[in-house]
Each structure stands twice: as C-alpha cells, then as structure tokens.
C-alpha cells in the first residue's frame, strides 16, 4: 500500500489493461536496463556522469558555455539521484527538457544560418563568371558539406542523449514521488500497479 503522503499515480502511467496497451506500457515503462542489472537510480547516476564527461570534452574543445552547462546539470543530477531528492530531481528534469529544446532550436537555427551564409558566399564568388549558375550550384552543394554533416551528427547525438537522460530521470522522479527508492527495478507504471490499484488511486485523487 502506498504511504499516505505519497501522491497517487498519474493517469499517464495508469493505462488501460487491454493487451495492446499493456504491451505498449511494458515497452515504454522504463524500470531497469542492461537485463535488469542497472536500476533507475543507478542509470540516472551513470548517465549524469556521462553528461559531466561530455562537458569536460567540450571544455577541451574550448566550448566553455556548453562545458559549464553540462557539468553543472550533470552534477546536479548525480546529487539528486544519489540522495533520492525528489524536489531536486524535478528541477533537474525541467533543466534537461530546457536543454533539449535549446539544442533542437540551435540545430534548426544553424541549418538556416549555414544555408544563408553559403548562398551569400556563392553570390560573391560566382558573380560575373561565365558559368555563374554552375558555380553557385557547386558551392552550395560542396561548401562546408563535411562540416555540416559532422555538426548534424554531433548535435543529433547530444539531443538524443539529453532526451534519454530526461526520460530516465523523469521515471526515477515518478517512482520517488510514489514512495519508492529507484532501486526496485520497476518503472513508474509497474511500481504503481504493484503497490495499489491505479483506478482506485485516481478516483480518490479526483
């Protein structure tokens, strides 16, 4: 039975118990990984340590702001997961979501800005040439192509990594909110189903 002070399970985790929704819930409900060897709390600590390492790599590449953000947020996540601080975990998840949105926005802005720079440079370099159209087409196709591809790959990996950390951290936060420790090897939905009837809890909360 859930402790009296623990909030009821949210409707997101109290899915219908139909076979289709049950299968989808089991797939989406992250409780443990690596064949059950790593719990939610441990996974959060490991992923946050990865954020700190990424920040150190960014510092070596002279990306000071990115380094500070990743090291600070990663350290906050390690503290919150280690001491099972639910409130700090909530702030941590909000920060991760903000970082993810910023990374996606920055990626989109870079793509637009990069294309504008290439077009402008092609106009300057190719203006007045006999094969002006061909020159512009070649520059737009080849100028900085390798750098753009590398930037896309790195930015996409960073955004996906941030989303993964946010997913795991949110699962841990939900388990902590329901009175768990994060070491049960259960996701939020499985924890709620094991420690009480979701429908009954939702009815009481309303």
């Amino acid at each position: 039975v859930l402790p009296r002070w623990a909030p009821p399970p949210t409707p997101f985790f109290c899915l219908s118990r139909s076979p289709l929704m049950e299968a989808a819930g089991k797939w989406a409900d992250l409780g443990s990984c690596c064949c059950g060897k790593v719990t939610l709390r441990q996974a959060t600590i490991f992923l946050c340590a990865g954020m700190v390492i990424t920040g150190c790599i960014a510092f070596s590449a002279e990306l000071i702001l990115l380094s500070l953000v990743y090291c600070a947020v990663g350290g906050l996540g390690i503290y919150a997961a280690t001491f099972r601080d639910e409130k700090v975990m909530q702030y941590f998840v909000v920060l991760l979501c903000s970082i993810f949105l910023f990374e996606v926005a920055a990626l989109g802005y870079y793509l637009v800005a990069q294309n504008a720079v290439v077009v402008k440079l092609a106009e300057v370099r190719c203006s007045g040439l006999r094969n002006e159209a061909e020159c512009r087409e070649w520059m737009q196709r080849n100028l900085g192509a390798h750098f753009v591809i590398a930037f896309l790959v790195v930015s996409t990996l960073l955004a996906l990594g941030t989303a993964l950390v946010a997913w795991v951290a949110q699962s841990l936060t939900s388990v902590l909110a329901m009175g768990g420790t994060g070491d049960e090897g259960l996701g939020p939905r499985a924890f709620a189903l094991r420690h009480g009837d979701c429908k009954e809890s939702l009815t009481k909360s309303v």
Side-chain angles (χ1 to χ4, degrees), residues 36-91:
K37 301 297 182 181
V38 181
T39 64
L40 274 177
R41 191 173 70 92
Q42 293 170 341
T44 303
I45 294 174
F46 292 155
L47 290 173
C48 290
M51 289 188 67
V52 175
I53 293 174
T54 302
C56 295
I57 296 174
F59 183 81
S60 64
E62 298 184 354
L63 300 174
I64 308 300
L65 181 60
L66 181 64
S67 172
L68 292 176
V69 170
Y70 268 70
C71 288
V73 176
L76 180 66
I78 292 175
Y79 167 83
T82 300
F83 294 99
R84 301 180 178 89
D85 193 321
E86 177 195 343
K87 185 165 292 187
V88 177
M89 282 297 302
Q90 293 174 352
Y91 290 125

Side-chain angles (χ1 to χ4, degrees), residues 121-132:
L121 187 58
E123 291 179 357
V124 173
R125 294 285 183 85
C126 301
S127 179
L129 297 179
R130 293 181 180 179
N131 55 346
E132 182 175 342

Side-chain angles (χ1 to χ4, degrees), residues 137-149:
E137 181 182 355
W138 184 89
M139 292 195 69
Q140 293 179 14
R141 184 174 62 251
N142 296 285
L143 186 62
H146 298 293
F147 177 77
V148 172
I149 293 175

Side-chain angles (χ1 to χ4, degrees), residues 26-27 29-43 167-168 171 182-188 190:
K26 288 180 179 179
W27 180 85
D29 190 36
L30 181 65
S32 59
C33 46
C34 299
C35 301
K37 301 297 182 181
V38 181
T39 64
L40 274 177
R41 191 173 70 92
Q42 293 170 341
W167 181 29
V168 177
S171 298
D183 292 324
E184 298 87 357
L186 299 173

Side-chain angles (χ1 to χ4, degrees), residues 13-31:
F13 300 112
C14 298
L15 303 175
S16 170
R17 299 188 183 183
S18 63
L20 179 61
M21 295 301 293
E22 185 73 19
K26 288 180 179 179
W27 180 85
D29 190 36
L30 181 65

